[in-house]
């Protein structure tokens, strides 16, 4: 009948029924619900993290969906503990659950062992929590990627990790999530963040400027919604506490970023003109 034909075509276009539950593998070994959750992250504002020689910087492009919106509302970067912070992008209400869980894990660890939660333990526990939601048909995966900046007072080491909707977590020198993920990674690879000698890497102040530049470089004025730049750091300058980057320094970094982008564009234009003259 025409109705059954119609049903077959709609099923085929959406994973042929294998996408109805996150507990079902498709014949070619994919879990569609996790892929759809990752899509939710790809459609959201860009979130960036940078591990510098003296700390970690987090940065999120928060789209201002409404002119009436109060700039500080609906934050994307949260403090978990004195020495750790999380930036989320994707389905923000899902992110709130991850932030709450991270805070519980940090306080439970301190209560049990009497010391701050090590960065790797926090990352692994959050990843295990996110992964749990991909195992049961009655749950749905988180539509969020979380970037974790953390410092271990015992080993005096700082780290940057990212937990994805599938429940995997990796440590990074620089990482990106959200719609500008790919070009942002390309820009980050040009920065001095993974040199063999740590002293050759950029510091957190330079990191703030570079992240502001990357976000503004990816933002298309007429096409994309206006946004607020949310930034935090965990570094020597902040006393190894997770804090928001001072507003006046963010403003300074944004001004430098816009000027740097303009100069780069002018150089490109002059190069093109010279080629035309030749």
């Amino acid at each position: 009948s025409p109705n059954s034909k119609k049903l077959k075509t709609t099923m085929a276009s959406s994973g042929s029924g294998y996408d109805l539950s996150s507990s079902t593998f498709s014949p070619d070994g994919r879990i569609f619900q996790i892929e759809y959750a990752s899509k939710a992250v790809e459609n959201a504002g860009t979130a960036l993290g940078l591990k510098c020689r003296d700390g970690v910087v987090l940065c999120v492009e928060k789209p201002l969906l409404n002119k009436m919106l109060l700039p500080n509302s609906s934050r994307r970067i949260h403090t978990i503990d004195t020495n750790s912070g999380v930036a989320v992008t994707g389905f923000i209400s899902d992110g709130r659950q991850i932030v709450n869980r991270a805070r519980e894990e940090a306080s439970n660890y301190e209560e049990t062992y009497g010391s701050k939660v090590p960065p790797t333990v926090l990352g692994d526990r959050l990843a295990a929590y996110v992964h749990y939601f991909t195992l049961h048909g009655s749950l749905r995966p988180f539509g969020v990627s979380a970037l974790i900046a953390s410092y271990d007072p015992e080993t005096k080491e700082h780290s940057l990790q990212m937990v994805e909707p599938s429940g995997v977590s990796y440590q990074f020198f620089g990482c990106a999530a959200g719609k500008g993920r790919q070009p942002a990674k390309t820009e980050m690879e040009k920065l001095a963040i993974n040199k063999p000698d740590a002293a050759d890497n950029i510091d957190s102040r330079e990191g703030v400027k570079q992240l502001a530049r990357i976000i503004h470089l990816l933002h298309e004025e007429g096409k994309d919604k206006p946004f607020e730049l949310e930034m935090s750091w965990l570094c020597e300058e902040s006393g190894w506490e997770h804090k928001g980057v001072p507003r006046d320094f963010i403003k300074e970094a944004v001004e430098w970023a816009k000027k740097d982008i303009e100069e780069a564009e002018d150089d490109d234009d002059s190069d093109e003109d010279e080629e035309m003259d030749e």
Side-chain angles (χ1 to χ4, degrees):
S1 72
N3 283 353
S4 62
K5 267 184 191 168
K6 196 175 178 187
L7 187 69
K8 276 176 191 166
T9 52
T10 49
M11 288 287 273
S13 66
S14 62
S16 304
Y18 293 105
D19 64 346
L20 300 176
S21 162
S22 61
S23 59
T24 310
F25 276 100
S26 75
D28 57 351
R30 291 158 67 186
I31 302 177
F32 286 104
Q33 281 296 314
I34 294 175
E35 290 181 22
Y36 299 162
S38 301
K39 267 279 182 288
V41 177
E42 281 171 29
N43 295 334
T46 310
L48 309 173
L50 209 56
K51 185 185 175 192
C52 308
R53 69 165 181 258
D54 62 345
V56 183
V57 184
L58 296 176
C59 168
V60 183
E61 167 201 13
K62 184 173 84 178
L64 296 171
L65 306 172
N66 190 318
K67 283 191 175 120
M68 300 295 185
L69 201 66
L70 202 71
N72 290 339
S73 67
S74 174
R75 300 199 75 80
R76 304 286 199 271
I77 300 180
H78 306 264
T79 295
I80 299 306
D81 197 358
T82 321
N83 310 113
S84 23
V86 165
V88 293
T89 188
F91 206 54
I92 296 306
S93 40
D94 279 13
R96 209 163 44 229
Q97 297 297 325
I98 292 177
V99 168
N100 288 342
R101 177 65 176 213
R103 285 173 178 158
E104 280 169 28
E105 291 289 1
S107 69
N108 288 351
Y109 189 96
E110 196 167 357
E111 237 169 71
T112 310
Y113 301 107
S115 62
K116 295 287 184 193
V117 60
T120 47
V121 174
L122 181 63
D124 288 347
R125 288 189 180 184
L126 270 190
Y129 177 67
V130 170
H131 177 238
Y132 183 81
F133 281 75
T134 68
L135 298 174
H136 297 271
S138 58
L139 303 170
R140 70 164 176 78
F142 287 103
V144 157
S145 277
L147 283 64
I148 309 165
S150 212
Y151 173 72
D152 191 343
E154 303 287 318
T155 61
K156 304 276 186 284
E157 286 182 354
H158 54 285
S159 77
L160 169 68
Q161 298 167 84
M162 181 160 73
V163 178
E164 292 174 25
S166 58
V168 297
S169 83
Y170 295 107
Q171 287 195 40
F172 292 91
F173 290 109
C175 62
K179 64 172 180 280
R181 183 177 52 112
Q182 220 43 61
K185 277 185 192 168
T186 308
E187 288 298 318
M188 278 183 187
E189 282 164 11
K190 297 173 188 173
L191 303 175
I193 48 175
N194 58 347
K195 298 277 187 234
D197 184 2
D200 296 336
N201 292 330
I202 61 173
D203 63 3
S204 298
R205 279 191 160 258
E206 181 63 22
V208 168
K209 287 161 76 174
Q210 291 298 341
L211 290 188
R213 188 185 68 83
I214 292 170
I215 291 282
H216 280 276
L217 189 66
L218 303 182
H219 186 80
E220 292 179 39
E221 218 40 75
K223 198 171 149 200
D224 294 334
K225 289 190 174 76
F227 70 96
E228 182 192 349
L229 203 59
E230 232 176 90
M231 294 185 113
S232 74
W233 59 10
L234 171 79
C235 57
E236 275 175 23
E237 195 171 325
S238 72
W240 291 112
E241 289 181 13
H242 180 255
K243 290 178 176 173
V245 177
R247 286 186 183 283
D248 54 350
F249 185 48
I250 294 179
K251 201 175 165 189
E252 202 180 295
V254 168
E255 281 167 12
W256 173 86
K258 286 179 175 173
K259 198 174 163 197
D260 192 69
I261 292 164
E262 273 172 31
E263 282 172 8
E265 282 172 358
D266 290 345
D267 288 349
D268 287 349
D269 290 345
S270 60
D271 290 348
E272 277 176 24
D273 291 342
E274 279 170 23
E275 280 172 23
M276 295 278 277
D277 292 342
E278 282 170 23

